[in-house]
Amino acid sequence: MRGRLALDLLMFGLMLAAFAYQLTGNRIHEIVGAAFVALAGSHNLLARRWYATLGHRRLRAATVLNLLLLAAALLLVASGLGNSHDLFPALRGDLFDRRTHALAAYWMLVLGAVHLGMHGPMLAHLCGGDRIAPTIRRAAMLALIGLGACAAIERDLILKLSGAYAFDYWDFSHATAGFFARYVVIAGGLASLVHLARTTLGSTKRGQP
Amino acid sequence: MLPRAARALPLEPGKVLTVYYSRTGNTRAVAEHIRELAGGDLAEIKAAHAYPEDYRATTDQAKRELEANLRPALASDVADIGPYGTVFVGFPNWWGTMPMAMFAFLERHDFSGKTIVPFCTHEGSALGRSIADIRALCPKSTIGQGLALRGGSGGYARGAAAGREIDAWVRGLNLASAG
Ligand SMILES: Cc1cc2nc3c(=O)[nH]c(=O)nc-3n(C[C@H](O)[C@H](O)[C@H](O)COP(=O)(O)O)c2cc1C
């Protein structure tokens, strides 16, 4: 279980690095992307039971969200290959432009965070977070949601999700950490929101935590 | 605020110039609109060398030019910047700043004591670090409040909403009282 958590953390780290295209330049971005695909492949292999039961499963919100995440991931990979200069120049084509790749990437961030939030209890258990008092945990999550909302506004996330953007910009002569911090709190805030919404709704509906 | 009639001109001291670089027309559309509002002259800057038709090949070439800090020869330039007091400088954001032809343009002329008002079209990076680059190229100029509009294919920059944004921005610059 801990190994899987480490894998997921590494995937998240690579995703953040990929967002910093402007900082890393193209070649490193493509290498980071390829490494992400390799890790995402293992992540899916480990989740093969989910695929096995997919056919005879009631279509719940969680399943739909996972399928959307999968779709975004496939679009991300396809458009990444289509825009490649350094690793796969032979696959470069005109089917997907830069904007499509950016669109898929921002949806990956959002759907990935929702996916994390769905596994909130498991994650909390793995990190020992369930030993923290519930009030403190809840306060921390609310703070993350607030910070995440501010960062999402500042980074123009809604426009990015609508496909208006093909480039991101950050003044890296100032604080590099600030760039990554914003994407971390966006993902963390969204995951917290999903987790809180599910536990609150779930406990009123079914009396479950 | 300004009486409405004061909006069109006269801009003291010196005339107004709107100068722009544009590969696919977004920045040109914005520049034409600014010229209508602020009056004065309109001029296009063009590099002497061509860029490929292909978008991605163009981005590759532009990246190399930026890394080499190239100053391309200009096929189209302003003959004499002397008579102008306020110069609107427009460009598409290329890799976080201006195309190198704009660097060449700003470097070739003496902008001391003049007011430079930057504007750009972009696909996410807004003005990027262009203001800092302009300030470094023209240390003795006043740099006005810049405007960034989303461009690209089917971009916002050519639409009516952008037009209203340009109106409000030009009005807010208070140019007529700049003397
Ligand atoms: C070589 C090149 C590099 C670009 N780099 C960026 C960039 O770093 N950030 C950005 O937001 N848009 C970038 N763009 C998109 C353009 O800024 C945008 O499409 C602009 O509206 C084009 O203006 P034009 O129609 O006047 O040429 C780039 C476009 C080209 C061709």
Side-chain angles (χ1 to χ4, degrees):
Chain A
M1 258 321 197
R2 291 219 171 251
R4 284 177 80 162
L5 183 66
L7 178 75
D8 296 349
L9 264 177
L10 201 57
M11 275 170 66
F12 185 58
L14 287 176
M15 186 157 164
L16 288 180
F19 275 115
Y21 179 92
Q22 186 200 334
L23 185 69
T24 62
N26 193 70
R27 183 178 296 275
I28 294 178
H29 178 82
E30 290 193 18
I31 293 170
V32 165
F36 182 85
V37 170
L39 293 188
S42 344
H43 178 97
N44 279 277
L45 213 62
L46 289 168
R48 60 186 175 278
R49 275 202 5 236
W50 180 80
Y51 286 96
T53 56
L54 196 57
H56 31 90
R57 186 196 294 255
R58 218 157 38 87
L59 214 58
R60 293 182 307 138
T63 315
V64 174
L65 282 165
N66 281 340
L67 287 172
L68 284 174
L69 177 60
L70 183 65
L74 293 175
L75 183 61
L76 188 68
V77 175
S79 59
L81 290 174
N83 279 293
S84 170
H85 312 206
D86 287 320
L87 297 192
F88 309 99
L91 297 178
R92 198 165 160 166
D94 286 327
L95 190 53
F96 300 110
D97 59 6
R98 195 187 168 100
R99 213 184 275 202
T100 312
H101 190 61
L103 176 74
Y106 292 115
W107 277 103
M108 271 295 276
L109 175 75
V110 164
L111 293 166
V114 172
H115 182 73
L116 260 179
M118 295 285 202
H119 293 91
M122 186 184 90
L123 284 172
H125 178 69
L126 278 175
C127 324
D130 51 358
R131 286 198 298 268
I132 301 171
T135 26
I136 296 180
R137 224 166 25 177
R138 200 155 305 147
M141 284 195 273
L142 286 173
L144 252 185
I145 292 171
L147 286 173
C150 293
I153 292 168
E154 200 211 65
R155 299 310 295 159
D156 239 346
L157 191 64
I158 299 296
L159 265 180
K160 283 174 174 160
L161 290 172
S162 73
Y165 278 13
F167 294 85
D168 199 7
Y169 181 77
W170 177 262
D171 186 351
F172 281 105
S173 71
H174 286 135
T176 305
F179 174 81
F180 295 110
R182 278 165 180 76
Y183 285 112
V184 169
V185 297
I186 287 174
L190 203 57
S192 301
L193 185 69
V194 169
H195 178 63
L196 279 183
R198 290 189 88 215
T199 45
T200 316
L201 292 179
S203 59
T204 53
K205 257 201 296 203
R206 279 176 261 122
Q208 282 171 357
Chain B
M1 282 307 294
L2 284 180
R4 264 197 156 320
R7 221 174 94 193
L9 265 172
L11 306 173
E12 292 293 335
K15 295 202 297 172
V16 177
L17 171 67
T18 300
V19 59
Y20 67 93
Y21 181 95
S22 184
R23 178 174 166 267
T24 45
N26 292 288
T27 313
R28 178 178 303 118
V30 177
E32 283 166 355
H33 192 107
I34 292 172
R35 213 289 291 266
E36 273 170 33
L37 295 169
D41 297 329
L42 184 68
E44 179 171 7
I45 299 301
K46 277 190 190 141
H49 68 291
Y51 287 94
E53 267 299 306
D54 179 57
Y55 175 75
R56 287 204 202 100
T58 300
T59 59
D60 290 350
Q61 185 175 332
K63 188 85 192 262
R64 281 194 300 274
E65 292 179 4
L66 177 65
E67 279 157 7
N69 201 16
L70 183 84
R71 296 291 185 268
L74 299 182
S76 163
D77 192 0
V78 178
D80 178 15
I81 213 86
Y84 302 103
T86 302
V87 184
F88 286 90
V89 172
F91 47 89
N93 185 324
W94 281 13
W95 295 113
T97 187
M98 302 174 284
M100 299 324 280
M102 226 47 189
F103 279 73
F105 165 71
L106 290 174
E107 216 169 63
R108 287 166 70 107
H109 299 280
D110 181 11
F111 284 88
S112 313
K114 301 184 189 299
T115 299
I116 295 178
V117 190
F119 64 96
C120 83
T121 66
H122 66 99
E123 291 180 48
S125 306
L127 283 155
R129 61 180 177 283
S130 61
I131 303 294
D133 288 340
I134 294 173
R135 193 163 286 137
L137 290 166
C138 310
K140 293 187 180 138
S141 311
T142 306
I143 315 285
Q145 174 72 49
L147 178 72
L149 298 168
R150 210 151 34 73
S153 57
Y156 166 88
R158 301 185 202 221
R164 286 190 294 277
E165 213 179 306
I166 299 168
D167 289 353
W169 170 68
V170 170
R171 221 175 301 135
L173 290 170
N174 252 339
L175 288 182
S177 56

